[in-house]
Amino acid sequence: MADWPTLSDIASQVQDGKVTARELVEKSLVAIEENKEFDAVISMTSERARSRADEIDVRIKNGEQVGRLAGVPFIAKDNFLTLTGKTTAASNMLKPFEAPYQATAINKLEAEGAICVAKANLDAFAHGSSTENSDFFTTKNPHDKERVPGGSSGGSAAAVALGVVPFALGTDTGGSVRLPASFTGVVGYKPSYGLVSRSGVVAMASSTDVVGPLARSVEDTALVLDIMAGRDDLDSTTFERDKEPYGKDSLDLSGKKIGVIREYFGEGLEAGVRQNIEAAIDMLNSAGAQVSEVSLPSVPLALAVYYIICPAEVSSNLARYDGQRFGYNAPDTKNLDESYELSREQGFGAEAKRRIMMGTYVLSSGYYDAYYKKAQTVRTKIRQEFDKAFEEFDFLVGPTAPMPAFKIGERSKDPLQMYLTDIMTVAANISGNPAISVPAGTSDNLPVGLQIIGNYKDDRRLLAAARAYQELAS
Ligand code: GLN
């Protein structure tokens, strides 16, 4: 496994001429090749990476300051539009797609000297929890090749866990950054909805989609977030960032009120996971935090709400893939109608089709009130319960997932079983709150993640608290 210092240390070494950006890029590209068997990566962006590295090295030779991520290689989930290679979203529908512009998040990282070296595997269009829904291949968990890395940002998480890059980008619509972070033993951050621009990210469910970093430490995660955060004219849902940096210091936990979400400790939580999370909570307690139980009675409904709202938005967002404007176009069709029909039939995989059908159903007249409207009502209730909990508590904690990484094939035949994987992550997407998964030991040699949820727009303190936990645990 390639070893990396902290992101700031890598950048200073590059800036000080101790190592070149080009050497780091080559190190990553070699590591990706050496770890091919894990199938974390869909495509390499070697050519542009090398030329950007050379440019950076020249600028440094000329005495310029390059940025906080000078020469740091990273991998982006393949649903981020990039100016090089293809952006497939791991779907046959977008297999031939070359993006005409680049995601704001990537532009911001590049402006600080970071270099995208590859595009990571995911569940097609980010629909899933294991990367088994990728139209291309399934990523393997670095801790056990017979197990999934979690999803949908499974390629990004595996890449970080394998050490082929020091950080990666994912997206989290219902848990897709936190879940794979938990399954692979890395840190995964879901920011407050609107803190990071979604411009240039293939849309899944626009009201819950967020861009999130994966890295090996909270410190690195926070630095990447700090660079990406902030208002963007290209995404009207973004808000102004804090003036102070995110996660620069760790928080003094003494006297902080931490609520343990009762509903996350019920039936279905595996014993090994429970043990690790309880041990983590004990650590918070001994650091002086005031830990007590809190109940959010509507949170168990979040999964049902999510699997109505998410497919509704998916059905709308996937309507643009009609074979005419971009992506796959079915060959030899007789007329326009047949072209629409066959392009969608051949281009979309089973899960995308399932979500289009569910979404169209819950939005159709006669069912809209019974499903979609009701789900929106419960969504408001869930938000209110979070708001109320944060009047009393600084942070809420629980497991990220009820189980560690499961075996490839174990859940893929039954969509409901797969959806249940998200039971502890979706609530924060429904409410818009920030949440993080931090490694909290292992159960049978498989990583377990502690989830910490913060108040809306309280990302700075959440990262500082997570940093404090990581220091306690190490
Ligand atoms: N696993 C969830 C789903 O299938 C979440 C996906 C995501 O966050 N992109 O919808």
Side-chain angles (χ1 to χ4, degrees):
M1 191 203 268
D3 205 22
W4 300 94
T6 65
L7 299 186
S8 332
D9 284 348
I10 301 174
S12 346
Q13 287 173 9
V14 173
Q15 189 70 55
D16 298 344
K18 294 200 181 101
V19 58
T20 63
R22 181 64 187 258
E23 282 165 348
L24 295 181
V25 163
E26 299 300 340
K27 171 175 162 174
S28 256
L29 294 173
V30 167
I32 293 169
E33 279 298 332
E34 284 173 356
N35 288 283
K36 251 196 150 119
E37 59 192 304
F38 291 95
D39 280 324
V41 159
I42 292 178
S43 61
M44 318 259 263
T45 50
S46 327
E47 210 178 306
R48 184 176 147 93
R50 288 187 171 118
S51 73
R52 288 208 60 241
D54 291 346
E55 248 170 64
I56 287 172
D57 289 331
V58 168
R59 284 175 55 199
I60 288 171
K61 277 215 179 78
N62 293 339
E64 281 179 54
Q65 285 293 321
V66 172
R68 289 182 286 166
L69 293 179
V72 177
F74 73 97
I75 292 187
K77 188 176 179 179
D78 206 17
N79 58 351
F80 282 81
L81 272 56
T82 45
L83 281 176
T84 181
K86 307 264 193 301
T87 297
T88 67
S91 72
N92 287 327
M93 188 55 116
L94 284 176
K95 205 168 175 183
F97 178 60
E98 285 178 26
Y101 64 100
Q102 189 157 267
T104 297
I106 296 193
N107 287 337
K108 286 188 165 183
L109 294 169
E110 283 194 352
E112 292 283 353
I115 302 173
C116 179
V117 293
K119 305 290 290 290
N121 193 31
L122 62 147
D123 292 286
F125 290 106
H127 304 163
S129 311
S130 65
T131 79
E132 290 166 292
N133 290 338
S134 166
D135 286 348
F136 307 151
F137 41 75
T138 298
T139 301
K140 281 95 197 154
N141 191 310
H143 297 265
D144 177 351
K145 265 200 285 195
E146 286 180 8
R147 292 177 187 267
V148 302
S152 60
S153 314
S156 305
V160 173
L162 288 165
V164 302
V165 276
F167 82 92
L169 292 186
T171 55
D172 192 313
T173 301
S176 281
V177 164
R178 288 161 287 156
L179 183 71
S182 154
F183 280 13
T184 60
V186 303
V187 177
Y189 191 65
K190 175 224 173 284
S192 290
Y193 179 78
L195 181 58
V196 179
S197 171
R198 290 176 290 118
S199 173
V201 180
V202 176
M204 180 180 167
S206 307
S207 79
T208 71
D209 285 348
V210 294
V211 165
L214 295 116
R216 282 172 313 164
S217 68
V218 178
E219 182 187 346
D220 285 354
T221 307
L223 176 59
V224 177
L225 179 80
D226 192 60
I227 290 166
M228 298 193 298
R231 228 187 63 77
D232 177 20
D233 286 343
L234 298 174
D235 176 357
S236 61
T237 60
T238 50
F239 58 82
E240 271 326 322
R241 53 161 293 146
D242 277 278
K243 295 230 163 35
E244 300 295 314
Y246 289 81
K248 200 164 149 270
D249 306 299
S250 68
L251 192 76
D252 178 4
L253 290 174
S254 73
K256 295 290 173 300
K257 292 196 168 155
I258 296 183
V260 179
I261 303 177
R262 178 190 300 159
E263 286 73 15
Y264 286 175
F265 288 81
E267 221 183 294
L269 177 64
E270 279 191 20
V273 176
R274 177 190 291 270
Q275 252 172 30
N276 281 279
I277 298 305
E278 284 175 353
I281 292 169
D282 284 346
M283 272 184 223
L284 299 170
N285 220 338
S286 15
Q290 291 177 27
V291 182
S292 57
E293 200 178 71
V294 57
S295 171
L296 286 87
S298 301
V299 153
L301 299 173
L303 194 70
V305 168
Y306 175 81
Y307 277 101
I308 290 171
I309 291 174
C310 167
E313 295 185 25
V314 162
S315 72
S316 161
N317 275 328
L318 293 187
R320 71 193 69 173
Y321 305 108
D322 57 6
Q324 315 308 309
R325 286 164 296 180
F326 30 61
Y328 178 75
N329 173 253
D332 308 323
T333 51
K334 289 198 280 297
N335 52 43
L336 185 61
D337 275 350
E338 195 179 281
S339 174
Y340 285 148
E341 219 175 284
L342 293 184
S343 297
R344 285 171 73 80
E345 183 181 320
Q346 295 162 12
F348 284 132
E351 187 60 27
K353 286 177 188 161
R354 185 176 297 124
R355 294 195 189 211
I356 292 169
M357 286 199 296
M358 286 196 294
T360 310
Y361 179 80
V362 299
L363 289 174
S364 58
S365 96
Y367 296 103
Y368 179 93
D369 283 346
Y371 294 102
Y372 186 74
K373 201 168 161 216
K374 202 179 269 174
Q376 291 290 15
T377 309
V378 181
R379 180 180 197 169
T380 305
K381 184 101 179 67
I382 292 169
R383 268 204 195 117
Q384 288 166 345
E385 286 178 13
F386 271 108
D387 288 347
K388 194 160 161 268
F390 283 110
E391 283 171 15
E392 191 184 338
F393 294 96
D394 294 288
F395 308 103
L396 304 179
V397 294
T400 303
M403 76 296 271
F406 46 85
K407 288 235 164 83
I408 292 172
E410 197 179 304
R411 291 176 165 241
S412 52
K413 307 237 155 36
D414 181 353
L416 278 181
Q417 276 301 313
M418 191 62 88
Y419 296 168
L420 275 168
T421 316
D422 309 327
I423 193 142
M424 288 155 185
T425 48
V426 290
N429 297 83
I430 290 297
S431 64
N433 288 64
I436 188 166
S437 179
V438 194
T442 54
S443 163
D444 288 335
N445 293 324
L446 295 170
V448 169
L450 169 74
Q451 182 172 212
I452 316 177
I453 304 177
N455 200 358
Y456 184 57
K457 295 192 179 177
D458 199 14
D459 297 70
R460 274 190 62 225
R461 277 195 341 135
L462 173 58
L463 283 158
R467 220 178 140 158
Y469 167 73
Q470 202 167 45
E471 281 161 17
L472 287 173
S474 60

